[in-house]
Amino acid sequence: TAGITQAPTSQILAAGRSMTLRCTQDMRHNAMYWYRQDLGLGLRLIHYSNTAGTTGKGEVPDGYSVSRANTDDFPLTLASAVPSQTSVYFCASSRGAEDTQYFGPGTRLTVL
Amino acid sequence: GQNIDQPTEMTATEGAIVQINCTYQTSGFNGLFWYQQHAGEAPTFLSYNVLDGLEEKGRFSSFLSRSKGYSYLLLKELQMKDSASYLCAVREGDYKLSFGAGTTVTVRA
């Protein structure tokens, strides 16, 4: 089973450009999440979605947007990238908001 | 919000035992998770505690004391493959997870 997939694996992006990170899960999980992981800071929640059609802001939402048109997909968009958005981005999902979260393989993004 | 503290690094010998402590301060508590993360890989779920006490899973055990805001992850019979970062995460009342910065464990032969 694929579980959670993310694309691309890595990307170098010029500052000011837009970028969409893709996340797809095949477990029919209701809840999905986007985190960024920076050295010394741990994982920080960017946005989340408890069910298709709804989204919410996490701890560090500025500069990012998400949509949840269906159960399987949860794309993360950077409208105008800045160097401080250089990070490793992990998508996660859980059956419900109260259940264990499982993580995708991550996308390493460098903004120059 | 959450304040979650865990040591930055620990080193131990193959076959030994290591205990990783995690302390937290929270306005709401709905469970504590431990994840393992190998370098360059995704975090993988290890354990979950919501009630006080010890949960054992093979070589790994996790303990929780809600009154003290304290948990530990115990790794027994250490193997080289246990070299990784271990992440403590607290679930708040609204079910969001807050993560500590992680403890990097190095297992030496």
Side-chain angles (χ1 to χ4, degrees):
Chain A
T1 59
I4 304 177
T5 58
Q6 293 185 235
T9 303
S10 65
Q11 182 75 44
I12 299 174
L13 188 66
R17 301 296 295 266
S18 67
M19 172 84 189
T20 295
L21 308 185
R22 300 185 298 278
C23 175
T24 300
Q25 52 99 3
D26 63 2
M27 298 177 284
R28 307 304 294 172
H29 282 176
N30 287 311
M32 297 186 74
Y33 313 84
W34 274 105
Y35 292 89
R36 58 178 291 172
Q37 187 174 38
D38 303 290
L39 195 64
L41 292 178
L43 286 155
R44 291 181 292 169
L45 183 65
I46 304 170
H47 284 288
Y48 66 95
S49 169
N50 286 335
T51 189
T54 69
T55 62
K57 294 182 180 180
E59 180 185 354
V60 288
D62 294 343
Y64 306 95
S65 64
V66 291
S67 62
R68 187 88 184 277
N70 57 60
T71 297
D72 299 344
D73 301 300
F74 191 42
L76 176 74
T77 297
L78 289 68
S80 179
V82 294
S84 62
Q85 292 177 311
T86 294
S87 188
V88 180
Y89 291 85
F90 287 101
C91 179
S93 73
S94 60
R95 187 174 54 187
E98 69 278 14
D99 295 305
T100 299
Q101 294 182 23
Y102 297 94
F103 287 80
T107 293
R108 183 175 296 276
L109 180 66
T110 302
V111 182
L112 300 176
Chain B
Q2 304 280 359
N3 185 19
I4 302 169
D5 291 315
Q6 51 181 129
T8 304
E9 296 179 333
M10 302 183 74
T11 301
T13 305
E14 198 173 15
I17 298 173
V18 70
Q19 177 175 314
I20 306 168
N21 296 324
C22 173
T23 59
Y24 62 90
Q25 294 175 317
T26 174
S27 55
F29 179 83
N30 213 340
L32 188 142
F33 294 80
W34 285 95
Y35 284 82
Q36 180 190 59
Q37 186 177 24
H38 286 100
E41 298 184 8
T44 56
F45 169 72
L46 284 179
S47 69
Y48 169 63
N49 295 70
V50 67
L51 300 176
D52 290 353
L54 188 68
E55 294 281 342
E56 296 188 82
K57 255 189 196 181
R59 294 187 299 113
F60 293 1
S61 303
S62 57
F63 171 83
L64 175 67
S65 169
R66 288 173 297 170
S67 63
K68 295 182 179 177
Y70 169 69
S71 173
Y72 68 73
L73 180 70
L74 195 68
L75 286 61
K76 295 178 277 189
E77 301 169 18
L78 278 172
Q79 301 175 10
M80 299 300 287
K81 67 178 182 179
D82 297 330
S83 291
S85 284
Y86 292 85
L87 315 179
C88 174
V90 176
R91 187 163 63 190
E92 302 178 43
D94 59 1
Y95 297 109
K96 294 194 194 68
L97 280 185
S98 293
F99 284 82
T103 300
T104 299
V105 172
T106 302
V107 181
R108 300 198 188 280

